[in-house]
Coordinates of all heavy atoms in Angstrom, one line a residue:
E13 N 0.4 17.7 -11.0 CA -0.7 18.6 -11.3 C -0.8 18.8 -12.8 O 0.2 19.0 -13.5 CB -0.5 20.0 -10.7 CG -0.8 20.0 -9.2 CD -0.8 21.4 -8.6 OE1 -0.3 22.3 -9.3 OE2 -1.3 21.5 -7.4
L14 N -2.0 18.6 -13.3 CA -2.3 18.8 -14.7 C -3.4 19.9 -14.9 O -4.5 19.8 -14.2 CB -2.9 17.5 -15.3 CG -3.3 17.5 -16.8 CD1 -2.1 17.7 -17.7 CD2 -4.0 16.2 -17.1
V15 N -3.1 20.9 -15.7 CA -4.0 22.0 -15.9 C -4.8 21.8 -17.1 O -4.2 21.6 -18.2 CB -3.2 23.4 -15.9 CG1 -4.2 24.5 -16.2 CG2 -2.5 23.6 -14.6
V16 N -6.1 21.8 -17.0 CA -7.0 21.6 -18.2 C -7.9 22.9 -18.4 O -8.5 23.3 -17.4 CB -7.8 20.4 -18.1 CG1 -8.7 20.2 -19.3 CG2 -6.9 19.1 -17.8
R17 N -7.9 23.4 -19.6 CA -8.8 24.5 -19.9 C -10.1 24.0 -20.3 O -10.2 23.1 -21.2 CB -8.2 25.4 -20.9 CG -8.8 26.8 -21.0 CD -8.0 27.8 -21.8 NE -8.1 27.6 -23.2 CZ -7.2 27.2 -24.0 NH1 -6.0 27.0 -23.5 NH2 -7.3 27.1 -25.3
V18 N -11.2 24.5 -19.7 CA -12.5 24.0 -20.1 C -13.2 25.0 -21.0 O -13.3 26.2 -20.7 CB -13.4 23.8 -18.8 CG1 -14.8 23.4 -19.2 CG2 -12.8 22.8 -17.9
D19 N -13.6 24.5 -22.2 CA -14.2 25.3 -23.2 C -15.7 25.2 -23.1 O -16.3 24.4 -23.8 CB -13.7 24.8 -24.6 CG -14.2 25.7 -25.7 OD1 -14.8 26.8 -25.5 OD2 -14.1 25.3 -26.9
H20 N -16.2 25.9 -22.1 CA -17.7 25.8 -21.8 C -18.5 26.7 -22.7 O -18.3 27.9 -22.7 CB -17.9 26.1 -20.3 CG -19.2 25.5 -19.8 ND1 -20.4 26.0 -20.3 CD2 -19.5 24.5 -19.0 CE1 -21.4 25.3 -19.7 NE2 -20.9 24.4 -18.9
P21 N -19.4 26.2 -23.5 CA -20.2 27.0 -24.4 C -21.0 28.1 -23.8 O -21.3 29.1 -24.4 CB -21.1 26.0 -25.2 CG -21.1 24.8 -24.3 CD -19.9 24.8 -23.5
N22 N -21.4 27.9 -22.5 CA -22.3 28.9 -21.8 C -21.5 29.9 -21.1 O -22.1 30.9 -20.5 CB -23.2 28.1 -20.8 CG -24.1 27.2 -21.6 OD1 -24.5 27.4 -22.7 ND2 -24.5 26.1 -20.9
E23 N -20.2 29.8 -21.0 CA -19.4 30.8 -20.3 C -18.6 31.7 -21.3 O -18.2 31.2 -22.4 CB -18.3 30.1 -19.4 CG -19.0 29.1 -18.4 CD -19.6 29.9 -17.2 OE1 -19.2 31.1 -17.0 OE2 -20.5 29.3 -16.6
E24 N -18.5 32.9 -21.0 CA -17.8 33.8 -22.0 C -16.3 33.5 -22.0 O -15.7 33.6 -23.0 CB -18.1 35.3 -21.5 CG -19.5 35.8 -21.9 CD -19.6 37.3 -21.6 OE1 -18.6 37.9 -21.4 OE2 -20.8 37.7 -21.7
E25 N -15.8 33.3 -20.8 CA -14.3 33.0 -20.7 C -14.1 31.5 -20.4 O -14.8 30.9 -19.7 CB -13.7 33.9 -19.6 CG -13.7 35.4 -20.0 CD -12.9 36.2 -18.9 OE1 -12.4 35.6 -18.0 OE2 -13.0 37.4 -19.0
Q26 N -13.0 31.0 -21.0 CA -12.6 29.7 -20.7 C -11.9 29.6 -19.3 O -11.2 30.5 -18.9 CB -11.6 29.1 -21.7 CG -12.2 29.0 -23.1 CD -11.2 28.6 -24.2 OE1 -10.0 28.9 -24.0 NE2 -11.7 28.0 -25.2
K27 N -12.2 28.5 -18.6 CA -11.7 28.4 -17.2 C -10.6 27.3 -17.1 O -10.7 26.3 -17.8 CB -12.8 28.1 -16.2 CG -13.8 29.3 -16.0 CD -14.8 28.9 -15.0 CE -15.8 30.1 -14.8 NZ -16.8 29.7 -13.8
D28 N -9.5 27.6 -16.4 CA -8.5 26.6 -16.1 C -8.8 25.8 -14.9 O -9.2 26.4 -13.8 CB -7.1 27.2 -16.0 CG -6.6 27.7 -17.3 OD1 -7.2 27.3 -18.3 OD2 -5.6 28.5 -17.3
I29 N -8.7 24.5 -14.9 CA -9.0 23.7 -13.8 C -7.7 22.8 -13.5 O -7.2 22.2 -14.5 CB -10.2 22.8 -14.0 CG1 -11.5 23.7 -13.9 CG2 -10.3 21.6 -13.0 CD1 -12.8 22.9 -14.0

Side-chain angles (χ1 to χ4, degrees):
E13 288 187 344
L14 178 67
V15 179
V16 181
R17 197 165 74 246
V18 178
D19 183 11
H20 200 292
N22 299 328
E23 301 286 338
E24 286 187 12
E25 290 184 7
Q26 296 176 331
K27 290 183 179 177
D28 285 349
I29 289 186

